[in-house]
């Protein structure tokens, strides 16, 4: 027996000395500890909910929400709708500001990144100061700053700044005429779609011709011509089936038209320009990382500067830019949860705010909010991974 | 795997321990800690606000002090746990606060759904509207199409939705997180109307540089009985908070004030006063407190009327009349069950 136990001990010791076995043991222990901590937290929640007699259930989602959400551009929401619909309104509002924010931040970020590399001393310094000021101040302060500027410096609706009696700027929003489609507008829309398809077909054809014959067509201008020309002809032929609903001051506020509300505007602008500064630095790093020899080689082959940028520098820079760009998109989406500070009704303000308060379902509502952000983030990541694969170096 | 097993056992023990702190025994916890944690608002003039030295004052804070005086014998042994309208119940239910004194409306869903215990009403309120005088409006019925600033996570946004819906009017809701930000949006003209409880309107207006240019409309669109709350599951602690509030009301009814409480204790012939002050009977020990618990409240903080007049009464900048909050003997609703 003594011998056996010594052998046994030495086999455990030798197991520990074995690098592979040791790493497996460490991993097993780590996973167990992590699961134990998660289980501990869940158990604590369950025990505490039980102690105050609360039931874990999502039944409240079908009860009327009873509160109003004025900013609901996609759904026709009233206070008689359910908490589920209120959550949907909040999710769509989050989605709206995230999508608009990502688009504008990308545009602004690429512009700033290029300006930062400008040979013009003044322009590159101005971009530098803007980037450094913006990215070193918390985003919440930017949001409050923009909202404060919009709300306090712009006039009240009755003193609104009118632009040609059709557009109005006030601290309750920017009002522009809304298009009203009349009979025949459907035909124009169909022609527009057909023209876009035709333009895409032309683009493919032009690319094939270039591959085969080397002849380069002015693809951009011809595509623009096809789409704009065909739509304009259809519009005139259908008897101009479009009119405008002009906003007008009635009582306290403007009625009619389309409005850009200050809450949305402030959140959108602040998130965009804040994130654009990080994107600018990523773009700058990406462009600088493409060796200057590449540009010189392209010039030596006779490519003009803008085609060099388009065909040689940008494709290589994008491979460096895209992975960190994904993090910025994710940051922007998650930062949009600061919306409640200025009263933009996003998912945190609706289901994670008012619904939480009115029903007392903290755990359930927070699970919904967490799930929503998780789905958004994973979707962005999946899309950007796909994009990254499509532009990465293809070895032939 | 032995390490794992004991780790799991430890984790479970810890979970049970953590869970235990949110249940019964609040009185023992508070006495062991020596400090009472009160959930209060982030700042409402007259009700709960810190001075420039960081000391908290106000109507609700004085009731918190009264509770501390009863439980710990020291009205200063309080800690203000600030919370927005949205976080207050979570903070209470998670055990960050022992009691909530935070102009909170008693409703069915909060009592039953959020699982709170309410302990009577320390302020009878109702929701009103404030507008700039320059709008020339005299009734809430004229507010069709207006932009309305509201604080999120309150009963006011539900009352507002119901009021406009039932009167067939439309409005734009500008939903803001705290009273202070709502006030800034109202002053900047982002909204035409600010709505909250009438006491809150008076309190907010008192902080304007030009309070005379703003009017509170005559319509009161809701019942807002504001009162203290505690968690479910600790009946002893619930009883204490209930009778702290009742003690201040009874003291006012019986004419016991912070100035004459010593005299009353020595000379009063009224058995209820003697029971209240712990001279006769053993009501203190039945609550688990010292015999002089109510004496401590009245001596250090005063009776209901004193607390009201000192913080929000007509001689303060808030300038609220007693109205519904007068004693029942003066035509109001403040009425305490007897100390018997």
């Amino acid at each position: 027996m003594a011998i056996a136990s010594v052998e046994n001990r030495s086999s455990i010791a030798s197991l520990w000395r074995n690098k592979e076995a040791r790493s497996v043991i460490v991993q097993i222990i780590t996973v167990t500890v992590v699961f134990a901590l998660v289980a501990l937290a869940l158990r604590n929640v369950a025990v505490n909910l039980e102690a105050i007699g609360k039931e874990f259930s999502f039944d409240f989602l079908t009860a009327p929400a009873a509160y109003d959400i004025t900013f609901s551009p996609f759904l026709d929401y009233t206070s008689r709708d359910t908490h589920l619909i209120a959550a949907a309104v909040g999710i769509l509002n989050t989605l709206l500001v995230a999508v608009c924010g990502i688009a504008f931040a990308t545009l602004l970020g690429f512009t700033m990144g290029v300006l930062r590399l400008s040979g013009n001393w003044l322009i590159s310094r101005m971009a530098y100061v803007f980037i450094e000021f913006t990215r070193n101040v918390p985003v919440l302060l930017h949001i409050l700053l923009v909202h404060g500027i919009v709300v306090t410096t712009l006039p009240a609706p009755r003193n609104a700044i009118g632009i040609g009696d059709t557009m109005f700027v006030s601290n309750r929003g920017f009002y522009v005429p809304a298009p009203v489609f009349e009979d025949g507008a459907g035909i124009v829309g169909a022609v527009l779609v057909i023209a876009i398809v035709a333009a895409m077909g032309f683009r493919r054809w032009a690319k094939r011709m270039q591959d085969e014959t080397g002849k380069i067509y002015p693809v951009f201008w011809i595509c623009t011509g096809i789409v704009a020309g065909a739509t304009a002809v259809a519009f005139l032929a259908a008897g101009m089936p479009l009119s405008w609903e002009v906003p007008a001051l009635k009582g306290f506020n403007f009625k009619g038209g389309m409005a850009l509300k200050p809450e949305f505007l402030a959140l959108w602008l602040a998130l965009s320009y804040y994130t654009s500064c990080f994107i600018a630095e990523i773009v700058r790093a990406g462009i600088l990382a493409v060796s200057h020899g590449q540009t010189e080689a392209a010039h030596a082959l006779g490519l003009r500067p803008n085609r060099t940028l388009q065909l040689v520098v940008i494709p290589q820079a994008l491979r460096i830019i895209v992975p960190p760009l994904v993090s910025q998109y994710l940051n922007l989406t998650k930062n949009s949860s600061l919306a409640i500070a200025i009263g933009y009704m996003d998912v945190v303000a609706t289901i994670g705010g008012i619904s939480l308060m009115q029903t007392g379902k903290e755990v359930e509502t927070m699970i919904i909010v967490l799930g929503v952000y998780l789905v958004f983030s994973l979707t962005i990541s999946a899309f950007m991974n796909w994009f990254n694969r499509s532009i990465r170096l293809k070895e032939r | 795997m032995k390490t794992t097993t004991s780790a799991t056992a430890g984790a479970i023990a810890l979970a049970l321990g953590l869970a235990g702190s949110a249940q019964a025994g609040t009185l023992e916890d508070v006495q062991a800690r020596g400090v009472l944690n009160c959930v209060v608002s982030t700042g409402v003039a007259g009700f709960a606000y810190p001075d420039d030295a960081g000391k908290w004052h106000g109507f609700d804070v004085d009731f918190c002090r009264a509770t501390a005086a009863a439980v710990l014998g020291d009205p200063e042994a309080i800690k203000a746990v600030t919370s927005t309208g949205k976080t207050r119940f979570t903070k209470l239910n998670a055990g960050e606060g022992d009691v909530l004194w935070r102009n909170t409306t008693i409703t069915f869903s909060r009592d039953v759904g959020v699982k709170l215990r309410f302990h009577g009403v320390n302020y009878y309120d109702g929701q009103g509207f404030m507008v700039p005088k320059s709008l020339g409006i005299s009734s809430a019925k004229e507010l069709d199409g207006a932009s309305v600033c509201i604080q999120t996570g309150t009963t006011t946004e539900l009352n507002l939705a119901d009021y406009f819906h039932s009167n067939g009017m439309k409005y734009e809701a500008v939903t803001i997180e705290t009273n202070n930000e709502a006030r800034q949006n109202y002053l900047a003209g982002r909204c035409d109307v600010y709505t909250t409880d009438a006491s809150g309107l008076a309190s907010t207006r008192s902080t304007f540089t030009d309070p005379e240019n703003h009017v509170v409309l005559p319509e009161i669109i809701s019942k807002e009985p504001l009162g203290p709350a505690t968690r479910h599951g600790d009946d002893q602690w619930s009883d204490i908070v209930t009778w702290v509030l009742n003690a201040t009301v009874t003291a006012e009814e019986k004419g016991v004030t912070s100035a004459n409480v010593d005299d009353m204790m020595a000379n009063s012939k009224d058995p209820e006063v003697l029971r209240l002050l712990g001279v006769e009977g053993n009501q203190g020990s039945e609550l688990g407190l010292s015999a002089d618990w109510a004496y401590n409240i009245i001596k250090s903080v005063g009776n209901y009327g004193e607390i009201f007049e000192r913080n929000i009464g007509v001689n303060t900048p808030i300038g609220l009349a007693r109205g519904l909050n007068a004693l029942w003997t003066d035509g109001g609703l403040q009425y305490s069950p007897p100390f018997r």
Side-chain angles (χ1 to χ4, degrees), chain A residues 32 40 43 47 53 68 70 80 172 253 261 263 343 354, chain B residues 4 11 16 115 145 147 157 162 171-173 175 190 192:
Chain A
T32 317
L40 164 77
R43 203 197 132 73
V47 170
D68 278 304
T70 305
R80 303 296 110 193
R172 306 262 174 94
N253 283 307
K261 304 307 283 181
E263 290 77 25
I354 308 177
Chain B
T4 328
L16 289 171
K115 307 287 179 196
S147 297
E157 57 203 352
D162 288 354
Y171 69 106
E172 182 200 19
T175 314
R190 173 63 188 90
D192 306 294

PDB file of all heavy atoms in Angstrom, chain A residues 32 40 43 47 53 68 70 80 172 253 261 263 343 354, chain B residues 4 11 16 115 145 147 157 162 171-173 175 190 192:
ATOM      1  N   THR A  32     -14.474  26.333 -13.824  1.00  0.00           N
ATOM      2  CA  THR A  32     -15.305  26.020 -12.662  1.00  0.00           C
ATOM      3  C   THR A  32     -15.525  27.269 -11.811  1.00  0.00           C
ATOM      4  O   THR A  32     -16.646  27.552 -11.374  1.00  0.00           O
ATOM      5  CB  THR A  32     -14.636  24.929 -11.803  1.00  0.00           C
ATOM      6  OG1 THR A  32     -14.126  23.930 -12.668  1.00  0.00           O
ATOM      7  CG2 THR A  32     -15.610  24.332 -10.839  1.00  0.00           C
ATOM      8  N   LEU A  40     -23.388  31.901  -8.387  1.00  0.00           N
ATOM      9  CA  LEU A  40     -23.550  32.637  -7.128  1.00  0.00           C
ATOM     10  C   LEU A  40     -24.386  33.897  -7.339  1.00  0.00           C
ATOM     11  O   LEU A  40     -25.320  34.178  -6.592  1.00  0.00           O
ATOM     12  CB  LEU A  40     -22.156  33.011  -6.598  1.00  0.00           C
ATOM     13  CG  LEU A  40     -22.085  34.086  -5.526  1.00  0.00           C
ATOM     14  CD1 LEU A  40     -22.496  33.519  -4.191  1.00  0.00           C
ATOM     15  CD2 LEU A  40     -20.678  34.656  -5.427  1.00  0.00           C
ATOM     16  N   ARG A  43     -27.992  32.947  -8.131  1.00  0.00           N
ATOM     17  CA  ARG A  43     -28.644  32.446  -6.940  1.00  0.00           C
ATOM     18  C   ARG A  43     -29.007  33.588  -5.993  1.00  0.00           C
ATOM     19  O   ARG A  43     -30.087  33.622  -5.428  1.00  0.00           O
ATOM     20  CB  ARG A  43     -27.687  31.471  -6.233  1.00  0.00           C
ATOM     21  CG  ARG A  43     -28.387  30.486  -5.349  1.00  0.00           C
ATOM     22  CD  ARG A  43     -27.433  29.832  -4.390  1.00  0.00           C
ATOM     23  NE  ARG A  43     -28.009  29.878  -3.064  1.00  0.00           N
ATOM     24  CZ  ARG A  43     -29.030  29.126  -2.691  1.00  0.00           C
ATOM     25  NH1 ARG A  43     -29.552  28.277  -3.520  1.00  0.00           N
ATOM     26  NH2 ARG A  43     -29.522  29.223  -1.471  1.00  0.00           N
ATOM     27  N   VAL A  47     -32.670  34.320  -4.715  1.00  0.00           N
ATOM     28  CA  VAL A  47     -32.995  34.293  -3.284  1.00  0.00           C
ATOM     29  C   VAL A  47     -33.547  35.645  -2.838  1.00  0.00           C
ATOM     30  O   VAL A  47     -34.539  35.728  -2.111  1.00  0.00           O
ATOM     31  CB  VAL A  47     -31.743  33.904  -2.463  1.00  0.00           C
ATOM     32  CG1 VAL A  47     -31.994  34.109  -0.981  1.00  0.00           C
ATOM     33  CG2 VAL A  47     -31.364  32.461  -2.744  1.00  0.00           C
ATOM     34  N   GLY A  53     -40.667  38.478  -2.172  1.00  0.00           N
ATOM     35  CA  GLY A  53     -41.905  37.965  -2.765  1.00  0.00           C
ATOM     36  C   GLY A  53     -42.116  38.367  -4.201  1.00  0.00           C
ATOM     37  O   GLY A  53     -43.252  38.485  -4.656  1.00  0.00           O
ATOM     38  N   ASP A  68     -46.573  58.052 -22.538  1.00  0.00           N
ATOM     39  CA  ASP A  68     -46.437  58.499 -23.918  1.00  0.00           C
ATOM     40  C   ASP A  68     -44.985  58.579 -24.325  1.00  0.00           C
ATOM     41  O   ASP A  68     -44.117  58.921 -23.518  1.00  0.00           O
ATOM     42  CB  ASP A  68     -47.079  59.882 -24.085  1.00  0.00           C
ATOM     43  CG  ASP A  68     -48.569  59.779 -24.270  1.00  0.00           C
ATOM     44  OD1 ASP A  68     -48.974  59.070 -25.194  1.00  0.00           O
ATOM     45  OD2 ASP A  68     -49.317  60.387 -23.479  1.00  0.00           O
ATOM     46  N   THR A  70     -43.219  60.574 -27.348  1.00  0.00           N
ATOM     47  CA  THR A  70     -43.547  61.456 -28.455  1.00  0.00           C
ATOM     48  C   THR A  70     -42.680  61.168 -29.672  1.00  0.00           C
ATOM     49  O   THR A  70     -43.145  61.246 -30.795  1.00  0.00           O
ATOM     50  CB  THR A  70     -43.399  62.918 -28.025  1.00  0.00           C
ATOM     51  OG1 THR A  70     -44.210  63.105 -26.875  1.00  0.00           O
ATOM     52  CG2 THR A  70     -43.869  63.856 -29.102  1.00  0.00           C
ATOM     53  N   ARG A  80     -51.853  53.690 -24.899  1.00  0.00           N
ATOM     54  CA  ARG A  80     -52.676  52.487 -24.672  1.00  0.00           C
ATOM     55  C   ARG A  80     -51.942  51.220 -25.114  1.00  0.00           C
ATOM     56  O   ARG A  80     -52.424  50.120 -24.879  1.00  0.00           O
ATOM     57  CB  ARG A  80     -54.008  52.556 -25.429  1.00  0.00           C
ATOM     58  CG  ARG A  80     -54.895  53.744 -25.129  1.00  0.00           C
ATOM     59  CD  ARG A  80     -55.374  53.748 -23.716  1.00  0.00           C
ATOM     60  NE  ARG A  80     -54.726  54.836 -23.005  1.00  0.00           N
ATOM     61  CZ  ARG A  80     -54.723  55.001 -21.699  1.00  0.00           C
ATOM     62  NH1 ARG A  80     -55.341  54.159 -20.927  1.00  0.00           N
ATOM     63  NH2 ARG A  80     -54.111  56.019 -21.146  1.00  0.00           N
ATOM     64  N   ARG A 172     -37.189  73.828 -30.511  1.00  0.00           N
ATOM     65  CA  ARG A 172     -38.015  72.610 -30.429  1.00  0.00           C
ATOM     66  C   ARG A 172     -37.744  71.707 -31.617  1.00  0.00           C
ATOM     67  O   ARG A 172     -38.437  70.721 -31.829  1.00  0.00           O
ATOM     68  CB  ARG A 172     -39.501  72.979 -30.436  1.00  0.00           C
ATOM     69  CG  ARG A 172     -39.895  73.963 -29.378  1.00  0.00           C
ATOM     70  CD  ARG A 172     -40.487  73.267 -28.180  1.00  0.00           C
ATOM     71  NE  ARG A 172     -40.730  74.236 -27.130  1.00  0.00           N
ATOM     72  CZ  ARG A 172     -41.878  74.856 -26.932  1.00  0.00           C
ATOM     73  NH1 ARG A 172     -42.893  74.616 -27.722  1.00  0.00           N
ATOM     74  NH2 ARG A 172     -42.006  75.719 -25.949  1.00  0.00           N
ATOM     75  N   ASN A 253     -46.793  74.957 -31.021  1.00  0.00           N
ATOM     76  CA  ASN A 253     -45.724  74.341 -31.800  1.00  0.00           C
ATOM     77  C   ASN A 253     -46.016  74.357 -33.281  1.00  0.00           C
ATOM     78  O   ASN A 253     -47.136  74.646 -33.705  1.00  0.00           O
ATOM     79  CB  ASN A 253     -45.544  72.882 -31.356  1.00  0.00           C
ATOM     80  CG  ASN A 253     -44.799  72.772 -30.056  1.00  0.00           C
ATOM     81  OD1 ASN A 253     -43.713  73.313 -29.914  1.00  0.00           O
ATOM     82  ND2 ASN A 253     -45.397  72.094 -29.097  1.00  0.00           N
ATOM     83  N   LYS A 261     -35.780  66.644 -34.062  1.00  0.00           N
ATOM     84  CA  LYS A 261     -35.940  67.112 -32.680  1.00  0.00           C
ATOM     85  C   LYS A 261     -34.577  67.370 -32.036  1.00  0.00           C
ATOM     86  O   LYS A 261     -33.601  66.674 -32.350  1.00  0.00           O
ATOM     87  CB  LYS A 261     -36.709  66.085 -31.848  1.00  0.00           C
ATOM     88  CG  LYS A 261     -38.057  65.712 -32.411  1.00  0.00           C
ATOM     89  CD  LYS A 261     -38.937  66.902 -32.694  1.00  0.00           C
ATOM     90  CE  LYS A 261     -39.560  67.498 -31.453  1.00  0.00           C
ATOM     91  NZ  LYS A 261     -40.429  68.653 -31.796  1.00  0.00           N
ATOM     92  N   GLU A 263     -33.376  66.629 -29.192  1.00  0.00           N
ATOM     93  CA  GLU A 263     -32.811  65.508 -28.449  1.00  0.00           C
ATOM     94  C   GLU A 263     -32.074  64.559 -29.404  1.00  0.00           C
ATOM     95  O   GLU A 263     -30.950  64.143 -29.143  1.00  0.00           O
ATOM     96  CB  GLU A 263     -33.905  64.732 -27.701  1.00  0.00           C
ATOM     97  CG  GLU A 263     -34.512  65.486 -26.533  1.00  0.00           C
ATOM     98  CD  GLU A 263     -35.501  66.545 -26.945  1.00  0.00           C
ATOM     99  OE1 GLU A 263     -36.089  66.407 -28.046  1.00  0.00           O
ATOM    100  OE2 GLU A 263     -35.685  67.529 -26.208  1.00  0.00           O
ATOM    101  N   GLY A 343     -33.151  63.191 -22.547  1.00  0.00           N
ATOM    102  CA  GLY A 343     -34.556  62.902 -22.829  1.00  0.00           C
ATOM    103  C   GLY A 343     -34.827  62.339 -24.211  1.00  0.00           C
ATOM    104  O   GLY A 343     -35.925  62.483 -24.728  1.00  0.00           O
ATOM    105  N   ILE A 354     -38.759  53.798 -17.898  1.00  0.00           N
ATOM    106  CA  ILE A 354     -40.118  54.034 -17.419  1.00  0.00           C
ATOM    107  C   ILE A 354     -40.836  52.715 -17.131  1.00  0.00           C
ATOM    108  O   ILE A 354     -41.469  52.555 -16.091  1.00  0.00           O
ATOM    109  CB  ILE A 354     -40.902  54.902 -18.427  1.00  0.00           C
ATOM    110  CG1 ILE A 354     -40.106  56.167 -18.750  1.00  0.00           C
ATOM    111  CG2 ILE A 354     -42.243  55.285 -17.859  1.00  0.00           C
ATOM    112  CD1 ILE A 354     -40.746  57.051 -19.783  1.00  0.00           C
TER     113      ILE A 354
ATOM    114  N   THR B   4     -12.549  22.510  -5.906  1.00  0.00           N
ATOM    115  CA  THR B   4     -13.750  23.004  -6.552  1.00  0.00           C
ATOM    116  C   THR B   4     -14.964  22.864  -5.640  1.00  0.00           C
ATOM    117  O   THR B   4     -15.770  23.782  -5.505  1.00  0.00           O
ATOM    118  CB  THR B   4     -14.008  22.208  -7.845  1.00  0.00           C
ATOM    119  OG1 THR B   4     -12.760  21.828  -8.364  1.00  0.00           O
ATOM    120  CG2 THR B   4     -14.777  23.027  -8.814  1.00  0.00           C
ATOM    121  N   ALA B  11     -19.103  29.465  -2.091  1.00  0.00           N
ATOM    122  CA  ALA B  11     -19.902  30.385  -2.908  1.00  0.00           C
ATOM    123  C   ALA B  11     -21.359  30.356  -2.476  1.00  0.00           C
ATOM    124  O   ALA B  11     -22.004  31.390  -2.331  1.00  0.00           O
ATOM    125  CB  ALA B  11     -19.780  29.991  -4.379  1.00  0.00           C
ATOM    126  N   LEU B  16     -25.981  32.780   0.362  1.00  0.00           N
ATOM    127  CA  LEU B  16     -26.984  32.785   1.427  1.00  0.00           C
ATOM    128  C   LEU B  16     -26.760  33.966   2.346  1.00  0.00           C
ATOM    129  O   LEU B  16     -27.689  34.642   2.763  1.00  0.00           O
ATOM    130  CB  LEU B  16     -26.921  31.469   2.218  1.00  0.00           C
ATOM    131  CG  LEU B  16     -27.443  30.244   1.453  1.00  0.00           C
ATOM    132  CD1 LEU B  16     -27.136  28.971   2.226  1.00  0.00           C
ATOM    133  CD2 LEU B  16     -28.935  30.382   1.231  1.00  0.00           C
ATOM    134  N   LYS B 115     -43.401  45.575  -4.637  1.00  0.00           N
ATOM    135  CA  LYS B 115     -43.219  44.926  -3.326  1.00  0.00           C
ATOM    136  C   LYS B 115     -42.648  45.889  -2.283  1.00  0.00           C
ATOM    137  O   LYS B 115     -41.570  45.663  -1.730  1.00  0.00           O
ATOM    138  CB  LYS B 115     -42.293  43.702  -3.436  1.00  0.00           C
ATOM    139  CG  LYS B 115     -42.708  42.701  -4.488  1.00  0.00           C
ATOM    140  CD  LYS B 115     -43.923  41.934  -4.071  1.00  0.00           C
ATOM    141  CE  LYS B 115     -44.351  40.951  -5.149  1.00  0.00           C
ATOM    142  NZ  LYS B 115     -45.708  40.470  -4.938  1.00  0.00           N
ATOM    143  N   GLY B 145     -51.532  70.624 -27.755  1.00  0.00           N
ATOM    144  CA  GLY B 145     -50.394  70.840 -28.659  1.00  0.00           C
ATOM    145  C   GLY B 145     -49.138  71.328 -27.983  1.00  0.00           C
ATOM    146  O   GLY B 145     -48.132  71.558 -28.647  1.00  0.00           O
ATOM    147  N   SER B 147     -45.690  71.502 -25.574  1.00  0.00           N
ATOM    148  CA  SER B 147     -44.576  70.634 -25.187  1.00  0.00           C
ATOM    149  C   SER B 147     -44.492  70.636 -23.673  1.00  0.00           C
ATOM    150  O   SER B 147     -44.475  71.701 -23.059  1.00  0.00           O
ATOM    151  CB  SER B 147     -43.267  71.154 -25.768  1.00  0.00           C
ATOM    152  OG  SER B 147     -43.323  71.133 -27.163  1.00  0.00           O
ATOM    153  N   GLU B 157     -45.885  61.045 -15.332  1.00  0.00           N
ATOM    154  CA  GLU B 157     -45.990  60.819 -16.770  1.00  0.00           C
ATOM    155  C   GLU B 157     -47.220  59.973 -17.115  1.00  0.00           C
ATOM    156  O   GLU B 157     -47.788  60.118 -18.191  1.00  0.00           O
ATOM    157  CB  GLU B 157     -44.710  60.223 -17.350  1.00  0.00           C
ATOM    158  CG  GLU B 157     -44.260  58.931 -16.722  1.00  0.00           C
ATOM    159  CD  GLU B 157     -42.763  58.702 -16.922  1.00  0.00           C
ATOM    160  OE1 GLU B 157     -42.131  59.455 -17.666  1.00  0.00           O
ATOM    161  OE2 GLU B 157     -42.240  57.773 -16.322  1.00  0.00           O
ATOM    162  N   ASP B 162     -52.866  60.110 -19.181  1.00  0.00           N
ATOM    163  CA  ASP B 162     -54.302  59.899 -18.957  1.00  0.00           C
ATOM    164  C   ASP B 162     -55.086  61.197 -19.123  1.00  0.00           C
ATOM    165  O   ASP B 162     -56.141  61.225 -19.743  1.00  0.00           O
ATOM    166  CB  ASP B 162     -54.535  59.339 -17.549  1.00  0.00           C
ATOM    167  CG  ASP B 162     -54.085  57.895 -17.434  1.00  0.00           C
ATOM    168  OD1 ASP B 162     -53.704  57.323 -18.471  1.00  0.00           O
ATOM    169  OD2 ASP B 162     -54.104  57.354 -16.315  1.00  0.00           O
ATOM    170  N   TYR B 171     -50.007  66.350 -27.009  1.00  0.00           N
ATOM    171  CA  TYR B 171     -48.881  67.082 -26.435  1.00  0.00           C
ATOM    172  C   TYR B 171     -47.586  66.411 -26.837  1.00  0.00           C
ATOM    173  O   TYR B 171     -47.581  65.278 -27.307  1.00  0.00           O
ATOM    174  CB  TYR B 171     -48.993  67.126 -24.903  1.00  0.00           C
ATOM    175  CG  TYR B 171     -48.795  65.805 -24.215  1.00  0.00           C
ATOM    176  CD1 TYR B 171     -47.629  65.526 -23.517  1.00  0.00           C
ATOM    177  CD2 TYR B 171     -49.773  64.817 -24.270  1.00  0.00           C
ATOM    178  CE1 TYR B 171     -47.440  64.302 -22.888  1.00  0.00           C
ATOM    179  CE2 TYR B 171     -49.593  63.605 -23.645  1.00  0.00           C
ATOM    180  CZ  TYR B 171     -48.441  63.347 -22.956  1.00  0.00           C
ATOM    181  OH  TYR B 171     -48.257  62.135 -22.351  1.00  0.00           O
ATOM    182  N   GLU B 172     -46.495  67.152 -26.665  1.00  0.00           N
ATOM    183  CA  GLU B 172     -45.177  66.563 -26.894  1.00  0.00           C
ATOM    184  C   GLU B 172     -44.538  66.345 -25.536  1.00  0.00           C
ATOM    185  O   GLU B 172     -44.325  67.297 -24.779  1.00  0.00           O
ATOM    186  CB  GLU B 172     -44.312  67.496 -27.737  1.00  0.00           C
ATOM    187  CG  GLU B 172     -42.940  66.897 -28.031  1.00  0.00           C
ATOM    188  CD  GLU B 172     -41.888  67.928 -28.427  1.00  0.00           C
ATOM    189  OE1 GLU B 172     -42.087  69.114 -28.153  1.00  0.00           O
ATOM    190  OE2 GLU B 172     -40.867  67.538 -28.989  1.00  0.00           O
ATOM    191  N   ALA B 173     -44.223  65.082 -25.222  1.00  0.00           N
ATOM    192  CA  ALA B 173     -43.613  64.791 -23.927  1.00  0.00           C
ATOM    193  C   ALA B 173     -42.104  64.951 -24.031  1.00  0.00           C
ATOM    194  O   ALA B 173     -41.477  64.353 -24.890  1.00  0.00           O
ATOM    195  CB  ALA B 173     -43.951  63.365 -23.515  1.00  0.00           C
ATOM    196  N   THR B 175     -39.207  64.074 -21.868  1.00  0.00           N
ATOM    197  CA  THR B 175     -39.011  63.265 -20.667  1.00  0.00           C
ATOM    198  C   THR B 175     -37.577  63.392 -20.185  1.00  0.00           C
ATOM    199  O   THR B 175     -36.661  63.012 -20.897  1.00  0.00           O
ATOM    200  CB  THR B 175     -39.331  61.799 -20.978  1.00  0.00           C
ATOM    201  OG1 THR B 175     -40.551  61.765 -21.691  1.00  0.00           O
ATOM    202  CG2 THR B 175     -39.463  61.006 -19.717  1.00  0.00           C
ATOM    203  N   ARG B 190     -37.514  74.908 -23.902  1.00  0.00           N
ATOM    204  CA  ARG B 190     -37.662  73.672 -24.664  1.00  0.00           C
ATOM    205  C   ARG B 190     -39.099  73.174 -24.546  1.00  0.00           C
ATOM    206  O   ARG B 190     -39.612  72.499 -25.423  1.00  0.00           O
ATOM    207  CB  ARG B 190     -36.675  72.613 -24.144  1.00  0.00           C
ATOM    208  CG  ARG B 190     -36.827  71.229 -24.739  1.00  0.00           C
ATOM    209  CD  ARG B 190     -36.556  71.215 -26.232  1.00  0.00           C
ATOM    210  NE  ARG B 190     -36.878  69.925 -26.853  1.00  0.00           N
ATOM    211  CZ  ARG B 190     -38.068  69.615 -27.352  1.00  0.00           C
ATOM    212  NH1 ARG B 190     -39.051  70.491 -27.319  1.00  0.00           N
ATOM    213  NH2 ARG B 190     -38.279  68.443 -27.900  1.00  0.00           N
ATOM    214  N   ASP B 192     -43.246  74.254 -22.984  1.00  0.00           N
ATOM    215  CA  ASP B 192     -44.129  75.346 -22.557  1.00  0.00           C
ATOM    216  C   ASP B 192     -44.557  75.158 -21.122  1.00  0.00           C
ATOM    217  O   ASP B 192     -44.882  76.122 -20.438  1.00  0.00           O
ATOM    218  CB  ASP B 192     -45.388  75.364 -23.430  1.00  0.00           C
ATOM    219  CG  ASP B 192     -45.055  75.426 -24.903  1.00  0.00           C
ATOM    220  OD1 ASP B 192     -44.515  76.458 -25.319  1.00  0.00           O
ATOM    221  OD2 ASP B 192     -45.309  74.443 -25.619  1.00  0.00           O
TER     222      ASP B 192
END
